[in-house]
Structure formats: structure tokens, C-alpha cells
Amino acid sequence: MSIAVVSRPEPCLMVIFGATGDLTQRKLYPALVKLAAEGRLPEHFAVVAVGRREKTDIQVRKEASRAAAAAGAGPATIAGAEGLLQHIHYFQMDFDEEASYPRLRQRLAELDEVYNTRGNRIYFLAVAPQYFGPIADLLYQHGMTYQQGTWQRVVVEKPFGQDLASARQLNERLTRAFGERRVFRIDHYLGKEMLQNLMVIRFANTLFEPLWNGRFIEEVQISINETVGVEGRGGYYDGSGALRDMVQNHMLQLLTLTAMEPPVDLDADSIRDEKVKVLRSLRPITPANLEASVVRGQYGPGTLDGKPAAGYRQEERVDPGSNTETYVALKLHIDNFRWSGVPFYLRTGKRLPVRSAEIVVRFREQPGVLYFGRTSSELGPNLLVVRIQPEEGVFLQFNARQPGSQGTIVPVRMDYCQNCGTGLNSPEAYERLLADVMRGDSTLFTRWDEVEYAWEFVDQIAGLWEQAGTPVELYPAGSWGPPGADRLLAQSGHRWILPFQCLLTERPDVQVIGSGPMVERCQSRFPEAQVER
Ligand code: BG6
């Protein structure tokens, strides 16, 4: 058993801009309540919830406790967080109104006295992106971003810009106010348990690391499949699309962690240095290879869970003639020694049949000396699947002889599930991320150059789509995306590997490990023709 001694973070005030917004209610309050109940907040700590509406301290305290309950916190957790709830204060102001900032500064100084928080601040910008720049400027102008002997950090949500140019401008404003080391750019995928585990799996196992290269790996598939649509976020989403909403950040982060070289150290900069090298090695997307590299889809009307589902163009606050993509599939190459010749397939989409995020590594075929004559489809590929959600774990598929048979070979599976049936509830990404900001650890946040290279890459694609007027390929809601995504892989003789939940049902000769509604759901989703790999 290992015992980790974690000291409590330094005293501070956390100022949440956008206190009445969705992110604060759904993620920040529940995470703070959980951290409080576990004794992981600083001993001297208070929250200042900043919003435009009129509210009292009592009201926001109730909101925070209701938000935590809605996110699943039980009465014991909420009771354990009573100390925190009593330390939440409301402050009303318009985020871009200059005259409010001296008032805010004054209020924070008073609360410093009350709570002994010593002038340390976390400013969390849980607001619409157009306020990121103005808030940073005004905090800076009013001397609220630097004070000797104390620290001030800023946490920014995505989207970090709309393209490279706007991201650069935003970054200049943030770093002018705070300096790079005190800017914490959130990519909530980095807070997910299995992403943190990915480095351990890769670098702490003799079994995997020596094989982690193009000599042994045939292809890598990275998928984030969502069943949800745009859920009332049509206004934002229609101007963004899956490329900017998911690929620029989460998908490229998964890619860099999968492909990077071992860092020289485990500190934030050493890890981020390696991630940046992967982004710099991505083969550019050009007019000549665009079509063979990128597929752009949008969901039309369809059926999900047996019920009719509206198409994207029928969603609220979406242009009825919209050409915004809700699905992207990519075939990428990382031009370095390790990955030469290995395609990395990425796909993400909304209104797909199953919710899952996975990294699938398919190893190369054996030369077939002993089991002469057998094709890979008989033998089954060696697969390593890193399951990020909904279940967290690792799954390894290899070939074995079926007991009692005449030499029949079947793929068998070893499955490690981190959060199944053990009662272990992995911490939510935001709990981990907030705790890290309090400790000043930026490992799980994106550094500016990562964001910059990611935008540069994504801008090439967006620019080419615009130039060529690339239309979206429609797919019915509840299906596996547009046919173009299958063609993308078929050019190299590959095909999408089904999410883990569905693999269990794929081969009748393999013992089905799972059972229940999920299995039925996958079975019902896959007509026979799509089932074989
Ligand atoms: C967000 C995107 O960053 O990630 C959403 O803006 C998406 O469109 C979400 O639904 C997915 O996150 P998760 O944690 O639910 O997989």
C-alpha cells in the first residue's frame, strides 16, 4: 500500500466570474463541495461568486449546495462541505464595466482580512469567451493581477480563441496581465483519470513501451463518440463546429499523449515539451491530401434510443441552412522516427449510437509461420484499448486456443476496469483540475505553444474547407457517422474498431463479459454487415 501525504494548498480567495452560469453550477460548485468534504481545500479559503444578476450570499450558498446535490453529492458530502458553503459570497457587477473593479478589489481586500487569505487569488473565468480579454485587462489595470509576496492565477475555459489569430490576441492580453506561468488553460479531458494513467501505462510497463512504435503498431484510432446533440448550445456551436470544439483541443491532446516521447522529467514543462514536438511533427494538410485526410459530417434527422431525433439544422439557434460540422474524422501522420508509416485515425461526433472515448492501438500481424494459412481475420488482431469513458480501464485482446476444440483459435480479452464494481468513484475532472490550480501545478493545463500549434493545424483544415466550399456529409442521428469516414480508412485497408461496449457483442464465439442494456443497445445498433471488423 502506498501512502501519499498531500499537504493542503496555500490560503487563497477563488473569484468565479460567471457565477450563475452553467459551468459554475454543473462543474465548479460540485467540485468545490467534494474537495471541501474531503478536506482538500486550503485551510483559509473563500469563494467570491461574481455575476450580473442581483443575489444575496444566502441565495448563492443554497445554489451551490443544490448544484452539488444535482451532480450526485449525498447529504453526508454536503454536510461535510458546510464550512465551504458558509464561505461563499456574492458580488454583483458587469464584467466589462470599469467602475466595478475598484469595488471588487476593495471587497476582496475585506475578505482577505476575514479569512486570512493573504492576497492570494484564483480568478476563474467561467464566462462567455468575449469577456476573457476585457476581464484580464481590467484586473490588470486595477492592479489586481500582481502584488508582491502573494500570487494571482487565472483559469480560462475553452474556447481559447476562434482561430490562431484570435487566440494570439487573447493570449497577449492574458499574459500581459498574469504572465504565462500564472495562466491555467483548461482542457477538461486532461483531468480525466485515464489520461493521467496513459503515461503510466506507456512508460511504466516493459510490456508496452518497447512495442510502442511503427515497427509493431499498425494503426492507432482515437475516438470521442457522443450521443448528445448540441443541447441548447446551438448559438455557440453553429459558429464553431466539431473541428474547433473538439479536435483543436481534446482530440489533439489525446493524440499528443498517445504519441509523445518519454519526457526527461515528470514536471509540467518536460511533459508539455514532448507534446509540442508531436504537434510540430504532424504532416500538414494540403489541398492535395485534404480529401484523403479529413471527413466532415453533420447529423440529420434519425433515431436514438428508439425515439425520433431531430437533425442538426432543426436544433434551436442553428441556421436552418447550416454547413457546420458535428462530426470530423481525420487520418493523420506524425512524421518522426517512432511513427513513420503509422496512420492515426481520429474521429469525434455528436448523435452517435454510443457514448465513449477510447484510444485503440492495433498491433501488426504476425508473419503467420506457425498458424500458416490463417488470415488475420481468423486470428483477430492484437488490440490494446485504453478506455477513457464511460468506463475507465485497459483492455487487451490476444489469440488463444479454444479449449477442447480441434485447434480453433479465438481472440480472448483481458480487461482491467478501474471503476467497475469496486465502488470506486473516480474524481471528476474539475476536482482534480481545481486542486491543481490551488497548488500551482500546471501539468494538466495547456501551455501556450500547445494551443498555438493546435490552432495552426486546425486552421489549415478550416481554411481549406472554406476555400473549397467543402459541404458537410449528412448522417442520420443515431448512426455511426457519414460513409466518408469508412472510406477514409478503407483506402489503407483499415476499418473503424467498434467501441469497447460493442466489441463484447461482436463475436458470438467469444464469451460476452458484459450483459444488460448496453449490450442490447450495441447489438441493436449494428446491422450484420457492419459488425465484422
Ligand atoms: C466540450 C465540448 O469541451 O466537451 C462539448 O464543448 C462536448 O461539445 C464536451 O460535448 C464533451 O466532454 P465529455 O467530458 O462529456 O466527454
Side-chain angles (χ1 to χ4, degrees):
M1 191 171 99
S2 68
I3 299 173
V5 182
V6 181
S7 59
R8 291 183 81 162
E10 289 176 16
C12 69
L13 284 180
M14 180 165 163
V15 184
I16 305 178
F17 288 91
T20 50
D22 185 59
L23 178 75
T24 307
Q25 304 292 325
R26 279 195 313 116
K27 300 287 184 192
L28 303 187
Y29 283 151
L32 285 169
V33 162
K34 193 91 180 296
L35 289 171
E38 288 168 3
R40 292 165 65 203
L41 290 179
E43 209 176 325
H44 300 285
F45 181 73
V47 172
V48 181
V50 180
R52 276 172 296 198
R53 294 184 218 155
E54 205 177 296
K55 274 181 199 286
T56 63
D57 288 356
I58 310 263
Q59 276 172 319
V60 285
R61 288 169 190 173
K62 278 198 187 131
E63 271 176 21
S65 128
R66 271 200 299 267
T77 304
I78 293 178
E82 197 46 39
L84 162 76
L85 293 168
Q86 293 310 320
H87 290 195
I88 302 183
H89 296 269
Y90 189 68
F91 189 84
Q92 187 191 8
M93 65 180 261
D94 274 333
F95 308 133
D96 49 4
E97 187 185 64
E98 185 168 358
S100 304
Y101 284 77
R103 281 199 301 119
L104 176 64
R105 193 181 54 198
Q106 173 64 28
R107 181 69 179 132
L108 298 183
E110 284 163 22
L111 291 172
D112 268 339
E113 291 294 311
V114 177
Y115 294 108
N116 197 12
T117 39
R118 303 187 202 161
N120 295 333
R121 310 265 184 268
I122 294 170
Y123 298 110
F124 200 117
L125 308 189
V127 290
Q130 70 264 28
Y131 292 113
F132 294 166
I135 293 175
D137 290 347
L138 289 164
L139 288 172
Y140 175 65
Q141 280 163 31
H142 290 276
M144 298 166 78
T145 58
Y146 182 77
Q147 198 194 330
Q148 199 148 22
T150 66
W151 50 257
Q152 288 74 33
R153 300 174 185 144
V154 68
V155 188
V156 212
E157 269 296 326
K158 65 177 277 264
F160 199 90
Q162 265 296 296
D163 52 20
L164 180 57
S166 57
R168 271 200 182 124
Q169 280 172 8
L170 171 60
N171 196 53
E172 273 161 26
R173 293 166 87 172
L174 286 168
T175 47
R176 181 176 72 128
F178 291 91
E180 169 66 26
R181 295 206 166 270
R182 295 184 296 135
V183 177
F184 290 71
R185 299 176 195 82
I186 288 219
D187 184 314
H188 77 280
Y189 262 73
L190 293 179
K192 293 192 193 260
E193 217 28 65
M194 278 316 285
L195 283 208
Q196 292 160 51
N197 209 344
L198 185 56
M199 281 205 346
V200 179
I201 291 166
R202 282 194 53 191
F203 300 130
N205 287 299
T206 316
L207 199 58
F208 300 130
E209 185 48 26
L211 306 184
W212 211 259
N213 56 59
R215 281 183 61 205
F216 298 100
I217 291 177
E218 165 82 21
E219 55 161 327
V220 178
Q221 298 188 7
I222 301 178
S223 306
I224 303 183
N225 303 314
E226 297 190 89
T227 49
V228 291
V230 288
E231 314 294 298
R233 295 160 74 224
Y236 148 75
Y237 196 88
D238 209 32
S240 167
L243 183 69
R244 296 184 174 92
D245 184 53
M246 296 294 287
V247 176
Q248 189 273 341
N249 36 73
H250 312 321
M251 297 298 287
L252 288 181
Q253 285 294 329
L254 297 191
L255 174 76
T256 54
L257 283 167
T258 307
M260 73 183 198
E261 296 298 315
V264 290
D265 204 332
L266 289 180
D267 60 63
D269 276 334
S270 305
I271 294 172
R272 297 188 296 184
D273 286 347
E274 296 308 328
K275 287 162 69 189
V276 163
K277 285 188 206 158
V278 175
L279 293 171
R280 292 179 57 194
S281 314
L282 279 174
R283 186 177 301 169
I285 307 288
T286 62
N289 67 17
L290 177 71
E291 229 182 283
S293 311
V294 192
V295 171
R296 183 178 201 207
Q298 184 192 80
Y299 63 85
T303 314
L304 250 173
D305 279 337
K307 293 185 212 121
Y312 175 71
R313 292 175 189 168
Q314 286 83 53
E315 301 274 14
E316 230 177 275
R317 295 166 66 208
V318 167
D319 175 357
S322 174
N323 194 41
T324 298
E325 74 287 348
T326 60
Y327 179 102
V328 181
L330 298 147
K331 178 184 182 183
L332 302 182
H333 286 278
I334 297 169
D335 284 331
N336 64 17
F337 274 39
R338 186 186 284 263
W339 294 116
S340 171
V342 181
F344 281 76
Y345 299 114
L346 275 58
R347 70 171 157 175
T348 182
K350 294 202 182 284
R351 287 281 189 237
L352 301 181
V354 167
R355 174 176 183 257
S356 68
E358 288 181 353
I359 299 165
V360 180
V361 177
R362 186 154 83 92
F363 292 91
R364 291 195 187 280
E365 274 171 41
Q366 283 290 80
V369 177
L370 279 179
Y371 297 97
F372 208 65
R374 294 193 198 241
T375 62
S376 62
S377 64
E378 271 177 284
L379 283 184
N382 283 161
L383 294 181
L384 177 74
V385 182
V386 178
R387 301 157 59 199
I388 299 161
Q389 65 187 24
E391 287 170 354
E392 297 160 1
V394 181
F395 157 88
L396 188 63
Q397 172 173 291
F398 54 99
N399 294 305
R401 183 174 176 278
Q402 191 174 48
S405 72
Q406 297 291 325
T408 308
I409 297 176
V410 289
V412 294
R413 286 116 192 233
M414 286 199 314
D415 177 28
Y416 157 63
C417 181
Q418 191 163 271
N419 62 346
C420 298
T422 55
L424 176 77
N425 244 334
S426 293
E428 266 277 324
Y430 276 88
E431 284 166 46
R432 172 68 199 251
L433 296 173
L434 286 182
D436 283 359
V437 180
M438 289 172 195
R439 289 188 298 108
D441 180 351
S442 51
T443 313
L444 301 180
F445 297 81
T446 45
R447 200 171 60 187
W448 166 243
D449 48 354
E450 290 179 76
V451 177
E452 190 176 27
Y453 282 111
W455 270 126
E456 204 170 289
F457 184 73
V458 155
D459 272 4
Q460 300 168 47
I461 300 172
L464 292 173
W465 278 349
E466 205 177 310
Q467 268 168 34
T470 309
V472 288
E473 219 185 307
L474 291 179
Y475 60 96
S479 74
W480 278 107
D486 290 338
R487 288 197 296 272
L488 190 73
L489 274 66
Q491 332 160 37
S492 319
H494 295 140
R495 48 193 310 161
W496 292 108
I497 291 168
L498 302 175
F500 175 80
Q501 299 102 307
C502 302
L503 277 181
L504 297 177
T505 65
E506 195 183 340
R507 294 271 299 256
D509 55 335
V510 177
Q511 192 197 352
V512 173
I513 311 167
S515 63
M518 195 60 207
V519 170
E520 281 161 31
R521 186 177 165 140
C522 281
Q523 271 166 338
S524 72
R525 301 270 180 217
F526 294 101
E528 205 50 42
Q530 288 181 21
V531 169
E532 31 94 53
R533 261 193 306 270

